[in-house]
Amino acid sequence: MNNEKMINDLKEIITPYTENKEALNSITEQTDFLVDLKINSANLVDIILDIEEKFNIEIDNDSMAKMLNVKATIAIIQEKLAANAG
Amino acid sequence: MLGNDIVDLQLAAKQSNWRRKGYLQKIFTEQEQDLIADAENQDQMVWLLWSMKEAAYKIVNIEIGERFYRPKSFECIPNFSEHLIKGKATYEDLELDTVSELNENFANTTATSEQNRKLEHYLLNNPNTYIEDFNKNSFQFRLVKNEANLPTIQDILTEEYGPASVSHHGRYVSIVHPSQFEPV
């Protein structure tokens, strides 16, 4: 799956939890969930659960630790998808 | 070092559905999940434990100089024997003391790495004007943001600066700082 498609899928997932909706229009790999999108930290777990359902992957505690921005989150999803395929 | 976190329970009920499948398992240890299962008021217990984790995280975040999202690695044990809930939050080999206030409106925790340090706590209501509100009402202390945009407290008499921790959520702003501080 290419990165652009992945960012769009991710955008769909994080939209309901985003306080700063305007920042969603300019989302890039560098976008930080808490700092830029003002997502409540208690909703990060919702995002992680939604990602697990959408991509049919399991995200462990160590992977979850890094999922603070778009880039790191996409890297984790790619890694888990690759592990599932292999 | 200190860190605090407040949860507005009214807003939390709107923002988060902790009853969804998998939610508690992702962020709470088995022992914490048992505390929630056995609690008379499960909503209050969820957000008490969460505020303990967040307050403790703020200290670890400063100590290691790195952000991360690993709530399950903070094992939190509240002790309900007193009006203020004293507790422990443990992250790897670091043990922090916590003190929390819990009622139908909010869960509010301060974590500290110095057990006997006397602290000043404040609860304010306007996230947009809390700095002015604080400074209008305090004779001894002034709240300012430093160059890094972090909240800092100044003792007006000694002119020394000390650490402050500020948390806001929904209707509340919680502020904590040491009663006395050394020159930084």
Side-chain angles (χ1 to χ4, degrees):
Chain A
M1 199 181 292
N2 66 36
N3 268 16
E4 202 179 322
K5 165 97 173 71
M6 190 78 86
I7 290 182
N8 277 330
D9 285 348
L10 194 55
K11 194 170 158 184
E12 208 168 286
I13 287 172
I14 61 187
T15 297
Y17 309 110
T18 300
E19 298 268 322
N20 184 2
K21 303 271 189 212
E22 275 176 30
L24 276 177
N25 299 329
S26 51
I27 193 167
T28 68
E29 286 208 328
Q30 311 314 322
T31 302
D32 187 286
F33 295 145
L34 306 184
V35 178
D36 299 320
L37 302 181
K38 309 287 180 211
I39 291 172
N40 184 283
S41 57
N43 286 133
L44 275 187
V45 62
D46 287 299
I47 291 171
I48 287 158
L49 291 169
D50 290 348
I51 288 172
E52 287 189 335
E53 281 168 25
K54 166 107 188 156
F55 296 96
N56 197 22
I57 54 177
E58 197 175 318
I59 295 164
D60 54 278
N61 202 33
D62 285 339
S63 302
M64 195 165 130
K66 302 174 202 153
M67 293 173 68
L68 293 168
N69 59 50
V70 172
K71 191 177 182 182
T73 301
I74 287 177
I76 300 284
I77 296 170
Q78 304 274 29
E79 180 194 315
K80 300 293 175 192
L81 285 175
N84 277 4
Chain B
M1 221 172 279
L2 54 96
N4 72 340
D5 188 72
I6 191 161
V7 179
D8 178 338
L9 299 188
Q10 197 177 302
L11 182 58
K14 267 188 249 161
Q15 280 181 332
S16 297
N17 171 22
W18 59 262
R19 289 177 173 86
R20 82 178 273 193
K21 189 168 168 278
Y23 190 100
L24 296 179
Q25 290 78 8
K26 273 271 185 274
I27 53 180
F28 294 109
T29 65
E30 281 182 24
Q31 190 173 245
E32 291 162 350
Q33 290 174 47
D34 287 345
L35 283 176
I36 293 164
D38 295 341
E40 221 170 279
N41 187 324
Q42 297 191 329
D43 288 283
Q44 286 192 12
M45 182 60 88
V46 165
W47 299 116
L48 169 68
L49 291 169
W50 179 254
S51 75
M52 291 172 74
K53 284 173 187 280
E54 287 277 285
Y57 164 76
K58 286 184 184 173
I59 293 179
V60 176
N61 168 230
I62 296 166
E63 288 237 331
I64 69 175
E66 199 178 288
R67 295 170 61 219
F68 57 92
Y69 189 64
R70 204 190 277 275
K72 201 170 181 170
S73 299
F74 291 79
E75 175 86 68
C76 294
I77 305 171
N79 175 356
F80 285 91
S81 62
E82 297 166 65
H83 167 62
L84 284 174
I85 303 159
K86 292 190 175 163
K88 297 269 181 213
T90 309
Y91 178 80
E92 294 178 348
D93 52 4
L94 182 68
E95 194 184 85
L96 300 164
D97 289 288
T98 62
V99 58
S100 308
E101 193 181 352
L102 178 66
N103 55 44
E104 68 272 25
N105 295 313
F106 60 80
N108 187 14
T109 297
T110 298
T112 169
S113 52
E114 300 139 294
Q115 198 175 8
N116 295 315
R117 195 149 189 201
K118 204 168 163 276
L119 302 171
E120 305 290 332
H121 298 264
Y122 312 83
L123 187 63
L124 280 75
N125 287 96
N126 193 335
N128 299 315
T129 59
Y130 74 90
I131 293 183
E132 297 140 55
D133 296 344
F134 178 93
N135 290 335
K136 223 182 288 170
N137 290 305
S138 178
F139 296 105
Q140 195 188 345
F141 300 105
R142 215 164 68 84
L143 187 65
V144 290
K145 293 257 180 101
N146 68 11
E147 310 85 58
N149 209 27
L150 293 172
T152 307
I153 202 84
Q154 185 182 28
D155 187 319
I156 292 169
L157 295 175
T158 64
E159 297 194 333
E160 296 296 349
Y161 287 92
S165 185
V166 177
S167 168
H168 42 84
H169 187 233
R171 296 165 288 169
Y172 304 108
V173 181
S174 174
I175 302 169
V176 61
H177 66 78
S179 304
Q180 289 178 310
F181 32 86
E182 302 297 312
V184 270

